[in-house]
């Protein structure tokens, strides 16, 4: 069973990530944070900077599996291309860090909220409180993008091994 | 003035590319081809494979500038995300090959057709014949995806230095 999983929620400005590791009982949080890309940077710069930052996090944590948030609804073509560009950059970083593409899954925000809180339309605060409880940590002051990524990782663990 | 430019037309199955180099008079074709991604591969596999193939072409040709085809119209969100993922993978390959993001431009199919043939709605055959003439080469048997990429590169040269 893989011991380390990264959840990544790619965004055009803020990308949340969370790395969880298998413990004797359940899973623990190994790394958690937000990559912030300045809006003043040209968009192409943000894409490759995201690649570089994700690559650093992967080198430090060495996950075997990854889960990405995937949004399908409410996007126009221009926004969807931008989101896709971020996803492509993240996939290349995972590939270069030897995460097999077959070990990557995509989860929608509603799927993560449903699993974590029991409500597919839960608020960010509700998600944060639920993951705090799930991992037995005080995460209510962590950025919502980071706790969202943690919710993704927990949801993926459940879908893989639950 | 940069001496080597790559044009790339990313596609979910076939990605055309063309590398042109400055000569004493005008520009010559240094490399031209199509990267084919098997439809039987999982989409994430195709994305990272495209990165790897583009990286090989960049290592062999060492361009200083790049032009990508960018489609904005007629895409639904799912197709736009897929195209964006390919673009993100290509941008990371360019970044890793030391092509500065400020030296990358995006050109629409209509812009390239307009410059190359004088008609923004030209057929693929018309584009192929026009680039054959422009570079004084017999390219009519080359794959359309490759000659499209060559048209992109020529259009970019004109917009940068024309």
């Amino acid at each position: 069973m893989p011991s380390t999983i990264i959840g990544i929620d790619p965004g055009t400005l803020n990308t949340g990530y969370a790395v969880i590791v298998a413990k004797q009982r359940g899973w623990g949080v190994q790394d958690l944070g937000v990559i912030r890309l300045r809006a003043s940077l040209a968009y192409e710069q943000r894409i490759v900077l995201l690649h570089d930052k994700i690559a650093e996090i992967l080198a430090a944590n060495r996950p075997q599996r990854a889960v990405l948030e995937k949004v399908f609804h409410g996007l126009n073509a221009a926004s969807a291309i931008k989101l896709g560009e971020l996803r492509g950059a993240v996939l290349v970083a995972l590939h270069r860090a030897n995460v097999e593409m077959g070990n990557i899954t995509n989860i929608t925000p509603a799927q993560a909220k449903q699993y974590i809180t029991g409500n597919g339309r839960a608020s960010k605060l509700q998600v944060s409180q639920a993951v705090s409880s799930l991992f037995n940590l005080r995460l209510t002051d962590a950025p919502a993008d980071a706790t969202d990524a943690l919710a993704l990782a927990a949801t993926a663990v459940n879908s893989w091994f639950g």
Side-chain angles (χ1 to χ4, degrees), chain A:
Chain A
M1 181 164 162
S3 61
T4 309
I5 293 171
I6 187 167
I8 304 173
D9 176 8
T12 54
L13 290 172
N14 298 322
T15 292
Y17 66 92
V19 179
I20 60 174
V21 292
K23 298 200 165 184
Q24 281 193 315
R25 286 190 178 183
W27 294 76
V29 178
Q30 175 167 289
D31 196 355
L32 186 73
V34 179
I35 299 166
R36 299 184 192 279
L37 303 172
R38 278 183 292 125
S40 60
L41 288 175
Y43 198 67
E44 282 85 357
Q45 286 288 358
R46 282 190 256 164
I47 293 163
V48 297
L49 191 55
L50 180 62
H51 166 274
D52 291 352
K53 297 286 186 188
I54 291 285
E56 286 173 19
I57 292 161
L58 295 173
N61 290 285
R62 302 194 164 276
Q64 295 91 27
R65 293 197 181 215
V67 48
L68 305 189
E69 181 175 297
K70 188 157 195 177
V71 178
F72 293 95
H73 299 294
L75 289 174
N76 63 32
S79 300
I81 287 180
K82 282 186 167 187
L83 188 60
E85 288 171 333
L86 297 173
R87 286 177 51 85
V90 169
L91 288 170
V92 170
L94 289 165
H95 167 57
R96 296 190 57 238
N98 300 315
V99 178
E100 289 178 24
M101 292 298 106
N103 286 337
I104 298 174
T105 194
N106 293 293
I107 286 179
T108 66
Q111 285 172 323
K113 288 176 181 176
Q114 178 67 41
Y115 171 68
I116 295 295
T117 71
N119 171 9
R121 296 180 171 189
S123 69
K124 283 184 176 289
L125 179 60
Q126 288 172 316
V127 170
S128 173
Q129 288 170 336
V131 291
S132 292
S133 167
L134 190 64
F135 288 97
N136 202 20
L137 286 171
R138 182 175 160 76
L139 294 169
T140 44
D141 290 338
D145 293 303
T147 50
D148 279 356
L150 188 53
L152 276 182
T155 306
V157 164
N158 182 62
S159 76
W160 280 320
F161 313 113

